[in-house]
Amino acid sequence: MEDDKIVMIMDDGSEVEFTILESTILGGKGYILVTDAPDDEDGECYVMKDVSGPDDEEAVYESVADDKEAEEVFKVFQELLKDEIDIEQ
């Protein structure tokens, strides 16, 4: 996946730009793996879940709150990206 950017509006109203590293669909739900690190630098990765409704004009993502769900999805992203980048949990 090429470096796609996404801007998320945080709870406090601030905007944070993330780079989408990968996306996948599991159990009919969409997930993205994003980072806030500049290109070619180490940083934190976050698993986000698409919670958009059918009438939403733009995608709506939330952090995966359930630890078990986040761990399962993260393992999928590790496998998808194993030859491209080093992702540690």
Side-chain angles (χ1 to χ4, degrees):
M1 169 174 271
E2 62 185 68
D3 287 347
D4 292 323
K5 304 288 185 184
I6 185 171
V7 175
M8 294 192 187
I9 301 171
M10 310 313 281
D11 290 338
D12 65 2
S14 63
E15 294 183 356
V16 178
E17 184 177 85
F18 291 94
T19 300
I20 301 172
L21 301 173
E22 187 62 80
S23 64
T24 192
I25 297 175
L26 297 172
K29 301 201 185 280
Y31 296 90
I32 57 175
L33 181 68
V34 300
T35 184
D36 58 359
D39 293 339
D40 299 328
E41 291 187 25
D42 290 341
E44 297 291 320
C45 289
Y46 305 94
V47 176
M48 309 296 285
K49 182 180 192 176
D50 187 345
V51 295
S52 304
D55 296 329
D56 290 330
E57 291 183 23
E58 294 184 357
V60 178
Y61 291 96
E62 289 182 356
S63 292
V64 177
D66 180 88
D67 290 339
K68 183 178 178 182
E69 178 184 11
E71 191 172 311
E72 290 174 3
V73 176
F74 192 77
K75 286 179 183 178
V76 171
F77 283 129
Q78 282 180 309
E79 185 64 26
L80 289 170
L81 294 169
K82 69 181 177 186
D83 294 331
E84 295 178 41
I85 58 176
D86 184 28
I87 302 175
E88 297 177 10
Q89 193 164 6

